[in-house]
Amino acid sequence: MSGSRKLLLVLLLPCSVMLSGCQPVQAWERGVLAKPEMAIDANPLETQLNNHIYFSKEASNGGHSATGGGCGCN
Amino acid sequence: MKINQIPSILAFLPVLCLVLIVQGASAAETGDTAPAVQLPQLQVDGSMALADFRGRIVYLDFWASWCPPCLVSMPIMNEMRNRLQAQGVPFEVVAVNVDSDPEDGIDFLLDKPVDFIVLSDPEGRSPADYKVVGMPTSFLVGADGVIAMRHQGFRRSDAQTIENEIMKLAGGMP
Amino acid sequence: MKSRQLLALTASALALPGIAPAARADTPPTENTLSYRISRYAEDDLPGQYLVAGSAERYDINIHQFQLVTPVGEEYGLTLTSSYESMSGASPWFTVPAFGDEKTVVMSGATIHEQRRDFNVALRRYLDNGNYAFNIGASDENDYEAWSGGFDMARNFNNDLTTIAGGVSFSSDDLSPTDASLFNRVTDESKRTSSAFMSVSQVIDRNSLFQSSLNVTYHSGFLTDPYKLGDSRPGSRTQIAWSNAYRRYLAGPDAALHVDLRLYDDDFGINSVTLDLSWYQNLGDNWQVAPRLRYYSQSAADFFTPVNDVSGLLAFNSSDYRLAAYGAISGGIQVQTTIDDVTLSFVAERYLSDKGYSLYDGDTSPALVDFTRLSLGIGYRF
């Protein structure tokens, strides 16, 4: 199996998890998701420094965009 | 892995997940009779109903302590309510707190108290009746109990729009 | 003498700011937040048995970070970030064979002192169903200058339960190594970096969410380390990272579990795996303690050699330990307390790398780094 085929399969995995596991969460039920510790990036300055150090000392690069989650407020 | 295969994978990712998209049911709209609300008060004993305010223009506001724009609206609506009442406009604000732990709502109001009535609905029955899809959502209910305006989100500049609508409703009253 | 290693601890290329995050995805800031952090990063000395020449003292770095997040009008949020670093120490210069299979390291001679400054400005506009941002940044040290810029956007779907985001960023770096004539180094080189990402976030239930993102980065230009003897690398590099984040809140202990897994591949021949676990434990209303465990392992670059190639026959060659096969384990703890509008935080981290921790076979380096990092931070909302 080619590398990209494998990658595709791994990409499928989280989506299928989402499809099967998702429950509708109403707008007023997002208090927990809005907690600061539930953010993808709970402490941006800490993440920035960590990425900075790991980027300098390791060969890998590339991470999350920290959007998503939050309170669903308008 | 071939680099040139990446764009197709990138395109695939959202398509897959878009399958999830299901739009919410239709909302309680302008012109509909406002669904009944009967709830305990958040800070004091006793319950209140929306029907108790029949004959007055009511700003019904669904809010939570974890929603930043909700918190922006509270002092602004408190000031508007007090000012309009002083002018003799038959207007009231009824805020429904939907924090799953009502203590969180109480804590916020201890810090920034308001003069209007705050009800507690941790189970979320009333926002479900009103088909709320975003926080905050507010409804301007006329003296006749009919929804005159539905408003989602809150920015400071929204206050003028809301006040204009209230004055329009008040102008049409006997 | 100054070492390139040092420069590498800069955000120059890293600070591709398209990937710099919004504090919260869906609403503009409603108040100002001013934050300051001071950190000390200290590498362990190189063990004596590996040192042939030079200073065993590796880098010590003090880092100051500043950030202001402020609303602009009703739809915009402005984030200003700046940092200042002062570094001292020595770094691996090249690696030579010793007895048997052993390799030893020649370190740069004297301790050097160096400063780096950077700043970044990001302006994000918040719409009813998403947001977008532009940002621009610069990094400056005496032999390295970088400019970067980026754009990213996010859109919410499915009653805001699904967010799709994407972005691009660019960076232009100019190198002018010191002591160029003395050590026969390049005098003026540059490199360009472009990066794109796409991510999907999904709320799973009231207490959990998941995010998956794909990141592709392309570098071209002078990618060689001018401060390492005999270092020669290809003129382009493509990196692909696939990152996954899972967040789950547990009401019983009043804690949030963070699981992050990244798989990485590039055309230098390096693969890597990163697993990051954190547990944010709330203690009462005002305290939070978050232990953290991270595992990282990478394979060696195709052109990595444990000792420098002196034959001159290899087109590309490097003995940089960062291109070696190894594994790293780090553990840390963050303690945070909030008093009214002020948040105080403390972070400690210990990082150990070793060939023995590696998931991958292949050559390793005697110059792998271990370090300790401490941070103190204060944040003020107003």
Side-chain angles (χ1 to χ4, degrees), chain A residues 10 12 17-18 20 25 29 31 34-35 39 46-47 50 56 65 67 70 73:
Chain A
V10 237
L12 272 166
V17 168
M18 290 177 198
S20 57
V25 179
E29 296 175 335
K35 286 176 183 283
E46 167 73 6
T47 306
N50 270 328
S56 315
S65 65
T67 51
C73 306

Side-chain angles (χ1 to χ4, degrees), chain A residues 7-53:
Chain A
L7 182 70
L8 207 66
L9 277 180
V10 237
L11 284 174
L12 272 166
L13 198 73
C15 290
S16 56
V17 168
M18 290 177 198
L19 280 168
S20 57
C22 295
Q23 298 165 11
V25 179
Q26 304 296 346
W28 57 92
E29 296 175 335
R30 296 180 195 171
V32 165
L33 298 170
K35 286 176 183 283
E37 64 267 26
M38 282 296 284
I40 294 289
D41 186 359
N43 187 344
L45 284 182
E46 167 73 6
T47 306
Q48 183 192 325
L49 181 66
N50 270 328
N51 288 344
H52 183 44
I53 293 171

Side-chain angles (χ1 to χ4, degrees), chain A residues 10-11 14 23 29-30 34 37 40 45-46 50 52 54 56-60 62-65 67 72, chain C residues 8-11 24 26 37 43 85 159 197 204 206 211 215 247 258 262 272 282 296 322 349 351 373:
Chain A
V10 237
L11 284 174
Q23 298 165 11
E29 296 175 335
R30 296 180 195 171
E37 64 267 26
I40 294 289
L45 284 182
E46 167 73 6
N50 270 328
H52 183 44
Y54 299 143
S56 315
K57 298 294 154 186
E58 299 171 347
S60 309
H64 274 292
S65 65
T67 51
Chain C
L9 192 55
T10 68
R24 178 161 273 158
D26 40 13
R37 274 165 49 109
E43 293 180 356
E85 291 169 20
N159 290 339
F197 81 91
I204 297 169
R206 285 180 189 215
Q211 183 181 74
N215 214 302
R247 305 285 178 264
H258 289 207
R262 179 181 66 179
S272 78
N282 293 315
Y296 173 78
R322 289 169 299 179
E349 182 188 13
Y351 180 101
R373 194 256 308 180

Side-chain angles (χ1 to χ4, degrees), chain C residues 109-143:
Chain C
T111 284
I112 53 84
H113 297 277
E114 166 82 350
Q115 288 82 38
R116 188 180 77 89
R117 292 167 297 173
D118 72 37
F119 82 91
N120 186 276
V121 185
L123 184 66
R124 187 172 297 276
R125 183 177 186 202
Y126 295 84
L127 306 167
D128 286 345
N129 55 6
N131 61 74
Y132 63 88
F134 291 94
N135 58 66
I136 185 164
S139 170
D140 179 55
E141 26 189 333
N142 73 345
D143 60 350

Side-chain angles (χ1 to χ4, degrees), chain C residues 146-185:
Chain C
W147 283 92
S148 58
F151 171 78
D152 72 87
M153 58 188 300
R155 197 187 152 120
N156 302 323
F157 296 93
N158 191 14
N159 290 339
D160 295 350
L161 295 175
T162 307
T163 303
I164 293 177
V168 288
S169 53
F170 305 94
S171 149
S172 168
D173 301 16
D174 288 307
L175 301 71
S176 47
T178 53
D179 300 328
S181 55
L182 188 58
F183 291 94
N184 196 26
R185 291 175 179 145

Side-chain angles (χ1 to χ4, degrees), chain C residues 188-255:
Chain C
D188 195 8
E189 292 288 350
S190 66
K191 64 177 176 185
R192 302 275 176 276
T193 306
S194 332
S195 186
F197 81 91
M198 178 149 214
S199 73
V200 178
S201 314
Q202 177 65 44
V203 169
I204 297 169
D205 57 32
R206 285 180 189 215
N207 296 314
S208 57
L209 62 99
F210 181 82
Q211 183 181 74
S212 188
S213 47
L214 204 55
N215 214 302
V216 181
T217 303
Y218 177 73
H219 306 264
S220 65
F222 190 76
L223 307 181
T224 291
D225 188 330
Y227 291 102
K228 287 199 185 302
L229 191 69
D231 201 88
S232 168
R233 307 182 189 191
S236 75
R237 183 182 190 184
T238 303
Q239 304 174 299
I240 297 170
W242 179 41
S243 305
N244 297 282
Y246 177 67
R247 305 285 178 264
R248 177 165 193 87
Y249 177 75
L250 295 112
D254 189 12

